[in-house]
Amino acid sequence: MATLFKMSRCPQDAERYPLSANEQIISTMETQVSNGPTSNSGLPNGPPLSANGAADDSKTNLIVNYLPQNMTQEEFKSLFGSIGEIESCKLVRDKITGQSLGYGFVNYVDPNDADKAINTLNGLKLQMKTIKVSYARPSSASIRDANLYVSGLPKSMSQKEMEQLFSQYGRIITSRILVDQVTGVSRGVGFIRFDKRIEAEEAIKGLNGQKPLGASEPITVKFANNPSQKTGQALLSHLYQTTARRYTGPLHHQTQRFRLDNLLNMAYGVKRFSPITIDSMTSLAGVNLTGASSGGWCIFVYNLSPEADESVLWQLFGPFGAVTNVKVIRDFATNKCKGFGFVTMTNYEEAAMAIASLNGYRLGDRILQVSFKTSKQHKA
DNA sequence: TCATATT
């Protein structure tokens, strides 16, 4: 699906989303492989079964990668539930910290909805991420820990050339070469994820310490670090999140406010006192102010076309921050959009930035009107 | 000397 607009990190984003070095989006080149649904001999009636008699969800079960770090299970379900009925879905989290690992699974009831989800949501830009939606491979121990870290690559080697080098050992699921943020030149390190762990092991045996054709230095090939080992950054971020949620009342206590500031500073690596306003702090702490409903900040979007659907709203607002829900209001009889919809965002600052940016935005031949929802509009 | 893909 064509994205509605190209998102780039605007200057304000750098202040609103101060990221640590290891959270910086480094430019990468990556193949978007699509795991095709595995074939199955479905029975005429009832759910399709694989050879061993287990339910075959190969045509309904999807894996979603590169999700924004702050996306919750509810947001995840809301996004993919906008496509069709979900049998089950799960945002995968760190067992210790509960932090999102940035990927999840969605199993639809109808294989057609799984297909639709791939076609409409793969490549969707949410915040500074581009999500990937593809069929999940059948879960198996043999496909775990198949990720390799490669260093010492010639700077001239492209991702394609690296894949060619490794493809002799098995099916490559993803590959990536890290490049310098500013110059775009290869840093000589990358990742190769094989379909099977055995294939990765063979690649290490065959390529570690070897010189690629025409290279002057040998490359190092080893298993990549496991994502489980979290750094202090992630722990602080987690600390901040869990602590902030405990503040349920107004921040009238100077000590509370000071502590929250400190947590914010630590979590985001800010050196000086963060110029975060009381409004944003209260919204971050889950405090209700006027205009906010319990689920977040509800935004009214007017002048949508009759064909508008939920994915349009996700695409418009997702890049600005955490979106918990979107809704297109439709005519009961025709099922066409009545020209408006609602978007709920978690954080005040992000909602305010989305409104400031999207109010007056031209969508097709229409100029959108975007504002916080008012009680008057609530009646409609 | 490392971004995140198997519930």
Side-chain angles (χ1 to χ4, degrees):
Chain A
M1 152 186 275
T3 49
L4 297 170
F5 54 95
K6 296 272 182 247
M7 287 307 300
S8 58
R9 244 174 153 247
C10 57
Q12 294 94 318
D13 283 336
E15 304 214 347
R16 288 165 48 243
Y17 302 110
L19 301 172
S20 72
N22 71 17
E23 271 189 311
Q24 293 279 354
I25 298 305
I26 63 170
S27 305
T28 59
M29 305 169 279
E30 177 171 327
T31 307
Q32 293 273 316
V33 298
S34 182
N35 311 317
T38 57
S39 64
N40 75 92
S41 51
L43 300 172
N45 299 310
L49 301 178
S50 61
N52 64 8
D56 184 352
D57 56 8
S58 65
K59 290 184 171 62
T60 57
N61 196 28
L62 304 179
I63 184 165
V64 184
N65 292 294
Y66 312 110
L67 292 166
Q69 177 59 233
N70 64 0
M71 180 175 251
T72 65
Q73 165 77 28
E74 289 68 36
E75 295 163 5
F76 183 62
K77 183 174 186 180
S78 178
L79 173 57
F80 284 88
S82 70
I83 298 293
E85 188 183 350
I86 291 173
E87 191 276 325
S88 63
C89 74
K90 181 178 202 173
L91 177 69
V92 180
R93 300 171 171 281
D94 183 282
K95 287 185 181 66
I96 310 293
T97 67
Q99 290 286 84
S100 165
L101 291 182
Y103 68 93
F105 297 90
V106 181
N107 195 15
Y108 284 99
V109 172
D110 187 340
N112 292 319
D113 287 332
D115 183 69
K116 185 176 165 193
I118 291 174
N119 287 322
T120 60
L121 297 178
N122 183 43
L124 175 64
K125 289 172 173 55
L126 290 178
Q127 299 176 244
M128 53 295 194
K129 301 275 195 173
T130 301
I131 71 170
K132 180 179 174 185
V133 185
S134 58
Y135 289 107
R137 291 171 285 163
S139 185
S140 153
S142 65
I143 66 174
R144 292 177 50 183
D145 303 315
N147 194 25
L148 297 180
Y149 175 72
V150 187
S151 58
L153 292 164
K155 300 281 194 286
S156 62
M157 181 177 276
S158 69
Q159 183 213 19
K160 197 167 205 172
E161 290 167 331
M162 181 177 71
E163 279 201 7
Q164 282 169 1
L165 182 61
F166 282 83
S167 61
Q168 57 184 311
Y169 297 98
R171 178 189 173 204
I172 295 169
I173 299 300
T174 58
S175 72
R176 170 173 290 191
I177 287 180
L178 303 186
V179 300
D180 185 280
Q181 181 86 91
V182 286
T183 67
V185 69
S186 167
R187 290 166 51 193
V189 301
F191 295 88
I192 297 271
R193 180 180 298 277
F194 279 103
D195 184 39
K196 297 283 191 292
R197 180 184 171 89
I198 301 172
E199 297 168 341
E201 288 170 350
E202 290 304 314
I204 292 174
K205 288 181 193 166
L207 293 175
N208 184 39
Q210 298 292 314
K211 282 186 205 168
L213 231 58
S216 57
E217 299 299 324
I219 61 172
T220 299
V221 184
K222 59 206 283 191
F223 282 108
N225 288 342
N226 235 324
S228 56
Q229 50 212 70
K230 289 288 179 182
T231 61
Q233 171 72 34
L235 292 173
L236 280 173
S237 172
H238 179 245
L239 175 66
Y240 147 68
Q241 291 197 1
T242 52
T243 307
R245 283 205 195 92
R246 291 198 202 108
Y247 293 94
T248 52
L251 290 173
H252 51 262
H253 238 244
Q254 191 60 35
T255 52
Q256 281 190 351
R257 182 173 169 182
F258 182 68
R259 283 170 55 195
L260 183 55
D261 285 343
N262 276 346
L263 285 163
L264 286 165
N265 290 344
M266 285 191 295
Y268 290 125
V270 179
K271 295 284 188 290
R272 300 172 178 214
F273 182 84
S274 163
I276 288 178
T277 65
I278 188 69
D279 267 11
S280 69
M281 287 179 53
T282 52
S283 68
L284 283 164
V287 177
N288 273 347
L289 294 180
T290 175
S293 65
S294 58
W297 301 85
C298 191
I299 298 166
F300 176 67
V301 186
Y302 182 71
N303 212 16
L304 295 169
S305 82
E307 284 70 39
D309 64 1
E310 272 73 10
S311 75
V312 169
L313 294 178
W314 282 106
Q315 288 188 65
L316 284 170
F317 288 83
F320 292 94
V323 175
T324 54
N325 195 34
V326 302
K327 180 143 193 76
V328 167
I329 305 302
R330 294 184 169 85
D331 181 88
F332 185 77
T334 67
N335 209 34
K336 295 283 187 186
C337 174
K338 291 171 78 170
F340 64 98
F342 296 99
V343 174
T344 306
M345 296 187 70
T346 306
N347 302 315
Y348 174 81
E349 278 203 335
E350 293 170 347
M353 184 59 70
I355 290 169
S357 304
L358 294 174
N359 186 37
Y361 179 80
R362 178 169 168 163
L363 180 62
D365 56 353
R366 293 161 176 269
I367 304 296
L368 297 184
Q369 292 175 35
V370 184
S371 64
F372 281 114
K373 191 181 86 168
T374 68
S375 55
K376 183 181 176 185
Q377 286 155 352
H378 181 258
K379 282 185 187 173

